[in-house]
Amino acid sequence: MTTDQRMAGWREWVSLPDLGVKAVKAKLDTGARTSALHAFDVDTFDRDGAEWVRFSIHPLQRDDETQVTTEAVITDRRWITNPGGRRERRLIIETPLTLGNETWSIELCLTDRDEMGMRMLLGRTAMRGRLRIDPAHSYLLGKRKSLMANPEGRKKVRRTTKQKRETTS
């Protein structure tokens, strides 16, 4: 194990800050190449010559009330083999992921994971060189409670990607 790799459990709480997702439970799956996120109401559109996607997420298992709607640039469309062995063409986005005290960019495919045990799957490409998995443990890098905490004691306002672009233009 190199000093850059941290030990993680087979499931961990992560956040997707650019998508407005404070906490989502992810299964860390070394058998899956690509990371996947449960998405619904998926709609593609063009903006400034780029292809974008607007979609909604239920970040918490067994909770269809909590919903985040967000937008991202589509970086690819890729054939992915699902757990049942069937190939599906999926949209791919790139977004920062925070796990523990580290944030890095990952590719994420959008798919219907409603029937799966977890809303997100973190694949081996996203973990390569960063994490080692201990299948006997969970949540070695943080609890949901710590992700949801706001140390400043005030409510944070999430800006959409469009609002961020307008601010920097």
Side-chain angles (χ1 to χ4, degrees), residues 118-148:
M118 298 203 190
R119 302 294 178 149
M120 184 171 168
L121 181 111
L122 192 62
R124 67 180 177 266
T125 303
M127 297 185 284
R128 183 174 290 129
R130 296 181 180 278
L131 302 172
R132 292 181 59 94
I133 310 307
D134 181 347
H137 291 92
S138 298
Y139 315 119
L140 294 176
L141 297 175
K143 305 278 188 218
R144 176 177 175 232
K145 187 175 174 181
S146 62
L147 285 173
M148 300 300 282

Side-chain angles (χ1 to χ4, degrees), residues 74-117:
I74 298 171
T75 58
D76 198 5
R77 291 175 189 264
R78 201 173 292 158
W79 287 100
I80 307 285
T81 303
N82 72 14
R86 200 176 86 236
R87 290 174 46 91
E88 301 172 337
R89 188 135 169 102
R90 296 184 185 169
L91 299 175
I92 307 291
I93 64 170
E94 190 172 318
T95 191
L97 169 126
T98 301
L99 175 56
N101 60 2
E102 187 178 353
T103 301
W104 69 95
S105 186
I106 66 166
E107 284 189 333
L108 198 54
C109 75
L110 305 178
T111 187
D112 181 353
R113 292 187 54 81
D114 209 25
E115 299 302 316
M116 304 305 242

Side-chain angles (χ1 to χ4, degrees), residues 19-33:
L19 300 181
V21 177
K22 288 185 179 182
V24 61
K25 192 186 305 181
K27 177 180 179 182
L28 280 58
D29 189 348
T30 60
R33 178 184 304 162

Side-chain angles (χ1 to χ4, degrees), residues 18-19 47 52 70-73 158-166:
D18 282 10
L19 300 181
R47 177 184 290 154
W52 285 66
T70 191
E71 298 175 346
V73 174
R158 184 180 85 72
R159 293 187 302 161
T160 65
T161 305
K162 183 178 179 182
Q163 289 168 326
K164 288 177 190 174
R165 286 179 62 246
E166 290 170 352

